[in-house]
Amino acid sequence: MPKIFVVGSYNTGLTIRVPRMPALGESLVGDSFDMGPGGKGSNQAIGAARLGADVRLLVCLGDDIFAENALRLYRREGIAIDLVHQLAGASSGIGFVNIVPSGENWITVDLGANLQMTPQHARDCAAEIGDCDILMTQLEIPIETAAAALRLGKESGATTILNPAPAQPVKREQLADVDILTPNASEARILLGLPPDDPSPPRDLAQRLLGLGVDCVVITLGGDGALIADGVGTTRIPAVSIQVVDVTGAGDSFNAALAVSLGEGLALQDAVQFAVRAGAYTALHLGVIDGLPTRADLKDLGRES
Ligand code: RIB
């Protein structure tokens, strides 16, 4: 059972389906409202636990009703809550998720308590991080905190994964302790300081990210699968063909499965194949938590690794 330490966010997702993206200033009627747990760190932790990993989660919540929901979720999913901080006077993170008929989304977040997670919060977990196989983090917490966690993971010999979402331009030194960087294509562009719709192909983006000193870049490409790039070359992993319902959380599911497979000792290419299947499973479901697969769920979706 791989040991995975996740340093990340919790947000409550307020989701509706909309017929299209609204124009600026327009009020648009949607439907299918759902309020459910989300946040990239929390989703990735639950995803990894469902796939059988021994997961520890460092996360900051507010002292509101949303935090109570999060604690209930962690108890139900068997995730220890000793590193779940409830910060007095803070609001828990909130995400507004709009889903268009193609299953694609756009998300806006107020990160609330997530932004109060400091590098010291991570350093206070040095012993637990020292015991993990994989250290995984994202950017819904301050980048200094993510960097501190990655440093602790690296120092202890863990494999470190940074899912750089939401993306922001990064400096070389902020990636110094990242073994595997897992942006989607638009995040890759933003990391490099390019416009999100820059036409550079993923292969070029990956090479430029490797140039920032990361050992390995895995770019998730939705319906086109994923691209792995490292010092040796690039490999394209094909997508699983599905009818997309909602892509929300598919990236989190991908990262969770990648971490679990690598923690189990799979080769990177096999781990990415498994992760692509996990992400596809999530995209078949409306909402995030219901779409995070167990291993049994993935048996019916292509080849079980
Ligand atoms: O990756 C999807 C997640 O991003 C959602 O759960 C939303 O809360 C945002 O944090």
Side-chain angles (χ1 to χ4, degrees), residues 62-204:
D63 64 359
D64 45 24
I65 187 161
F66 300 116
E68 298 307 321
N69 291 339
L71 292 169
R72 252 195 305 279
L73 172 75
Y74 298 143
R75 289 193 189 99
R76 194 183 76 206
E77 297 290 332
I79 299 212
I81 58 168
D82 55 328
L83 304 178
V84 177
H85 297 275
Q86 273 195 277
L87 305 181
S91 300
S92 298
I94 292 285
F96 296 97
V97 184
N98 293 271
I99 302 166
V100 291
S102 66
E104 292 164 297
N105 63 22
W106 75 103
I107 300 177
T108 51
V109 283
D110 176 347
L111 291 168
N114 296 302
L115 292 181
Q116 294 189 38
M117 192 194 289
T118 65
Q120 190 58 44
H121 280 110
R123 288 193 282 269
D124 288 344
C125 302
E128 291 88 347
I129 291 177
D131 193 34
C132 73
D133 303 307
I134 308 280
L135 182 289
M136 179 158 64
T137 189
Q138 321 76 26
L139 296 181
E140 286 187 327
I141 56 172
I143 195 165
E144 306 74 36
T145 305
L150 289 161
R151 167 61 51 89
L152 289 162
K154 193 76 179 169
E155 283 171 356
S156 70
T159 297
T160 58
I161 300 175
L162 173 63
N163 174 221
Q168 53 183 273
V170 283
K171 301 189 191 86
R172 171 179 275 273
E173 56 270 24
Q174 289 167 321
L175 300 177
D177 297 308
V178 178
D179 290 324
I180 304 177
L181 186 69
T182 60
N184 63 26
S186 64
E187 289 158 357
R189 296 181 189 107
I190 295 168
L191 291 172
L192 291 163
L194 300 169
D197 57 354
D198 179 88
S200 307
R203 213 168 271 266
D204 291 358

Side-chain angles (χ1 to χ4, degrees), residues 169-256:
V170 283
K171 301 189 191 86
R172 171 179 275 273
E173 56 270 24
Q174 289 167 321
L175 300 177
D177 297 308
V178 178
D179 290 324
I180 304 177
L181 186 69
T182 60
N184 63 26
S186 64
E187 289 158 357
R189 296 181 189 107
I190 295 168
L191 291 172
L192 291 163
L194 300 169
D197 57 354
D198 179 88
S200 307
R203 213 168 271 266
D204 291 358
L205 298 171
Q207 289 305 328
R208 291 176 67 172
L209 288 169
L210 288 177
L212 290 178
V214 178
D215 289 346
C216 175
V217 178
V218 179
I219 301 186
T220 54
L221 298 170
D224 289 325
L227 181 80
I228 306 171
D230 57 19
V232 181
T234 56
T235 309
R236 186 67 157 262
I237 305 296
V240 176
S241 176
I242 54 158
Q243 192 67 44
V244 172
V245 174
D246 173 11
V247 299
T248 313
D252 298 329
S253 186
F254 177 97
N255 278 277

